[in-house]
Amino acid sequence: LIVKLSPNVTDIADIARAVEAEGADAVSLVNTFLGMSIDVEKRTPYLSTITGGLSGPCIRPIAVRMVWQVANAVKVPVVGLGGIASGRDANGLDALEFILAGATAVEVGTANFVDPNVTEKIIDYIDDYCHRHNISSMRELIGGMMV
């Protein structure tokens, strides 16, 4: 059972520890952030529901931070998502950030609407990255951020 965690909580590491304690096999994070936008000329919300989900590259730095927090709080695998696109400079750096922060796998969502081949491009970049850095296994990268 993989439990997808909402980022709209006070302490995501506490939530991750709670679902791990209840038997989750892995956690996945993050989902969309709650956002709101107002048309200042009409003074009305742009969305009929007033608030809605914010996703895409703009949430990536927050999602990476949350993956790092959760990966350091639980023993179950962590699946990272949130803003993984074709990557900065058209490569897979976005996905690698999540992996270095502690994700054992990543998901690509919104970027698929822009480029249906984005996942293949990210895989190709990661493969090239591993060859350039003499990395023989992805396990060497998981949680490999140096501080």
Side-chain angles (χ1 to χ4, degrees):
L1 175 66
I2 301 173
V3 177
K4 190 167 188 178
L5 305 178
S6 170
N8 301 302
V9 297
T10 305
D11 187 338
I12 198 158
D14 281 347
I15 303 297
R17 281 190 288 269
V19 300
E20 178 183 44
E22 291 300 319
D25 298 304
V27 293
S28 170
L29 65 142
V30 300
N31 203 349
T32 58
F33 287 83
L34 194 56
M36 181 176 163
S37 186
I38 300 171
D39 180 330
V40 296
E41 295 300 322
K42 295 179 183 175
R43 296 196 272 177
T44 58
Y46 278 108
L47 299 175
S48 63
T49 54
I50 302 175
T51 62
L54 177 66
S55 65
C58 62
I59 71 166
R60 185 178 26 75
I62 303 167
V64 169
R65 185 250 315 158
M66 290 181 145
V67 163
W68 175 76
Q69 287 176 302
V70 168
N72 285 289
V74 298
K75 292 181 178 29
V76 296
V78 175
V79 180
L81 63 136
I84 298 174
S86 59
R88 289 172 283 169
D89 306 318
N91 56 42
L93 289 174
D94 297 353
L96 281 175
E97 280 189 289
F98 282 88
I99 293 165
L100 289 169
T104 56
V106 296
E107 291 180 33
V108 179
T110 303
N112 285 300
F113 295 117
V114 178
D115 180 1
N117 297 316
V118 68
T119 302
E120 292 172 8
K121 291 176 182 176
I122 291 170
I123 291 168
D124 289 344
Y125 177 78
I126 291 173
D127 186 51
D128 178 63
Y129 177 92
C130 288
H131 282 97
R132 287 187 290 115
H133 292 273
N134 200 27
I135 295 166
S136 60
S137 170
M138 287 298 292
R139 287 184 177 88
E140 295 176 46
L141 294 175
I142 297 168
M145 176 182 67
M146 296 183 193
V147 247

